[in-house]
Amino acid sequence: MSQQQPPAPVEGYQDMVHAAESQFDREQFKQLLMDMVNIPSPTGEEAELARYMADHMTANGLQGQTQYLDDQQANAIGKLPSRSKQGPELLLYASFDTHLGGSDEEERWAGQPLPSMLRPQARLEGDEISGLGAENPKAYAACVTTAATCIAKAGLELPGELTVGLGAGGMTALSRPGFSRRNIGHGAGVMFMLQRGYRPDYCVMCKPVYAVAWEEVGICNFTIRVKGAMGYVGVRHMMPQDQNPFPQVAKVIEALEAWFPTYTARHTSGLVAPQGGISAIEGGWPHKPIITTADVVLHVDIRPSPRTDPVQVKRELQAMLIELSQQHPDVVTELEATLAIPGATTSPDNWIIQSMIRAWEDVEQTPHEPFLNMSGYTDLSVIRQWGVPAARLGVPFRHQEPDPEDSLPMNRVHLDDCYRLIQVLIRSAIDTCSRPIEITQQYQ
């Protein structure tokens, strides 16, 4: 971590923070988040939510804009311009697409019937809002928006320019079957945003967890084709060799599940403990169960550390499959990489990391400790690959009674936790955008 002395607060810093925080309207924030949950925004179809958020930002002191990638997919932008333009440009970023909500076919494996928690229908219980993506990503998009609108409504004149960017296509999603548009996820929205001029000096992205993070894993997807031969159940006892691949698939799955922890152990470093997993299986004709398939395809997701190139991940996986075939000659596989996005890191000494840590400590009144062993991918890796120093922060952890309908901790959020995140964002935005750019550039 940085050995440099932290800079003194800018003149009037606490007064500016108080002025911005006094603009927070809890009821307005609650309604904003509930409206966001109620507007479906599956990956590739975020335009309606983008229009809503652009209008909200315009009505609350920012220059709102809907930035279309095409007629169905769009980002929402909100700008707070600087008159003097002497300070850094800061992007407060969050994605706002959900991992479900595209079609009945896509949702069939999420649970039958689909749990109400996984529907784009906001529910309010006390101070907790639930519904599809209520915390991740929609609360985060609401928090970055609200932090900026609080600063705008306070009438603060900042030397630096503050921009809210709400990105489409932030989920790690490929096009679903029948969708003609191919490039809809894995940071498609933020890449478009950066290409079209919204390239800042610094970025803060909101995603779990409630500790300032300066690095993320990347994401590698593979298909493993387990080879066999098409057969007929009625004559399997007459064939010299039954080449149904499913028994061999079991061996491949068992080998993968044993190998994933060894991969994690080899590549755990810094803030990350990269994980791997089998996510889907394809093979055969459900409408023709008398015929056995020739091949079965496993879909595998493996996360690379910022210090591991995706090609190295492929080599390690291939070596494991070769060893498996040597031990079991009847197991024949073909490996193909289908996605490769490297991990990325920002120096923990960089200005935006140190500013966010100072802001976090000011809110929490306790020393900041980094959170280790993360393996969640976000499109912040894309932002960092474009050379933008970036920090990440989410809402505080809250102990909640397990909900059998909510197997992923991303569909419930408490309003108090959102406000704590907003307080941190306000402080770092004022700290950063109140400085001459030359001062912040001393921390790299």
Side-chain angles (χ1 to χ4, degrees):
M1 299 293 289
S2 177
Q3 300 301 310
Q4 289 183 270
Q5 283 291 108
V10 295
E11 184 177 355
Y13 169 76
Q14 291 295 345
D15 290 338
M16 288 189 284
V17 168
H18 177 74
E21 287 184 343
S22 69
Q23 297 299 317
F24 178 73
D25 184 328
R26 187 182 181 91
E27 288 301 310
Q28 184 188 51
F29 179 85
K30 178 175 70 176
Q31 190 61 53
L32 171 65
L33 180 53
M34 292 183 68
D35 288 348
M36 293 178 70
V37 173
N38 286 331
I39 299 174
S41 57
T43 302
E45 300 172 75
E46 307 92 339
E48 181 183 357
L49 181 56
R51 289 190 291 267
Y52 174 87
M53 294 305 295
D55 290 345
H56 173 85
M57 287 188 279
T58 297
N60 287 274
L62 303 179
Q63 296 177 0
Q65 174 194 351
T66 305
Q67 184 188 45
Y68 287 93
L69 283 70
D70 54 46
D71 61 346
Q72 297 181 67
Q73 189 164 38
N75 300 321
I77 308 292
K79 292 180 68 69
L80 182 60
S82 166
R83 290 185 181 179
S84 69
K85 304 189 186 305
Q86 299 300 307
E89 294 188 21
L90 174 63
L91 173 66
L92 298 181
Y93 177 76
S95 57
F96 58 0
D97 56 314
T98 57
H99 60 296
L100 292 176
S103 67
D104 292 341
E105 175 64 24
E106 186 179 63
E107 294 173 357
R108 65 181 295 205
W109 300 113
Q112 295 294 328
L114 185 68
S116 58
M117 187 76 72
L118 299 180
R119 298 182 184 277
Q121 299 167 358
R123 297 188 300 180
L124 179 65
E125 297 181 12
D127 287 322
E128 183 180 270
I129 294 174
S130 63
L132 180 62
E135 180 206 326
N136 183 10
K138 294 195 174 181
Y140 295 129
C143 285
V144 298
T145 299
T146 300
T149 57
C150 284
I151 291 171
K153 289 190 286 188
L156 304 184
E157 292 285 344
L158 302 177
E161 189 159 273
L162 183 61
T163 300
V164 173
L166 306 181
M171 290 292 174
T172 53
L174 302 173
S175 296
R176 64 178 182 268
F179 221 42
S180 61
R181 293 153 57 234
R182 298 301 179 195
N183 185 28
I184 62 168
H186 300 97
V190 75
M191 281 190 281
F192 190 84
M193 195 182 299
L194 294 171
Q195 290 168 355
R196 298 306 171 98
Y198 293 100
R199 184 187 177 96
D201 294 294
Y202 304 105
C203 174
V204 173
M205 180 181 183
C206 287
K207 277 279 191 178
V209 295
Y210 192 58
V212 179
W214 49 86
E215 64 182 21
E216 274 86 26
V217 296
I219 186 166
C220 295
N221 291 168
F222 301 93
T223 60
I224 300 174
R225 185 174 296 273
V226 184
K227 306 290 289 181
M230 187 174 68
Y232 170 49
V233 175
V235 299
R236 63 178 296 183
H237 60 300
M238 302 177 186
M239 303 301 291
Q241 181 180 5
D242 181 19
Q243 298 185 62
N244 185 338
F246 278 105
Q248 316 318 323
V249 170
K251 296 175 185 177
V252 176
I253 291 174
E254 186 177 275
L256 283 168
E257 288 298 315
W259 180 79
F260 289 138
T262 70
Y263 171 86
T264 298
R266 287 194 302 277
H267 295 288
T268 295
S269 65
L271 301 184
V272 302
Q275 305 294 312
I278 303 165
S279 56
I281 301 177
E282 295 180 284
W285 300 276
H287 62 292
K288 296 181 181 181
I290 65 171
I291 300 175
T292 58
T293 180
D295 298 341
V296 176
V297 177
L298 303 179
H299 293 265
V300 175
D301 177 8
I302 302 177
R303 306 299 169 90
S305 156
R307 290 158 288 281
T308 306
D309 192 279
V311 72
Q312 176 62 25
V313 178
K314 183 180 180 180
R315 288 195 186 102
E316 292 186 29
L317 180 56
Q318 185 69 79
M320 185 278 289
L321 293 173
I322 290 172
E323 182 179 353
L324 176 63
S325 293
Q326 290 171 344
Q327 295 173 355
H328 301 277
D330 53 346
V331 176
V332 180
T333 61
E334 292 179 356
L335 177 66
E336 180 182 1
T338 57
L339 181 74
I341 301 177
T345 188
T346 295
S347 169
D349 294 338
N350 189 274
W351 169 272
I352 195 59
I353 304 298
Q354 294 297 312
S355 176
M356 283 291 288
I357 289 174
R358 288 194 297 272
W360 188 97
E361 292 179 338
D362 191 35
V363 171
E364 297 301 320
Q365 293 296 297
T366 190
H368 176 270
E369 293 290 339
F371 187 87
L372 304 180
N373 298 328
M374 294 192 293
S375 188
Y377 169 81
T378 76
D379 43 354
L380 194 55
S381 288
V382 174
I383 296 171
R384 290 196 174 110
Q385 288 160 26
W386 276 64
V388 178
R392 165 182 164 179
L393 185 67
V395 295
F397 172 78
R398 177 177 291 268
H399 177 75
Q400 297 170 316
E401 291 301 318
D403 187 329
E405 290 193 347
D406 189 23
S407 59
L408 298 176
M410 59 195 303
N411 302 306
R412 291 185 288 172
V413 70
H414 197 284
L415 295 175
D416 289 346
D417 299 337
C418 292
Y419 182 56
R420 284 165 69 185
L421 174 57
I422 290 167
Q423 288 179 292
V424 177
L425 295 173
I426 286 173
R427 283 163 170 74
S428 184
I430 292 173
D431 181 37
T432 299
C433 293
S434 296
R435 311 274 182 174
I437 183 64
E438 295 82 7
I439 296 297
T440 67
Q441 289 176 338
Q442 295 175 14
Y443 296 80
Q444 298 296 335

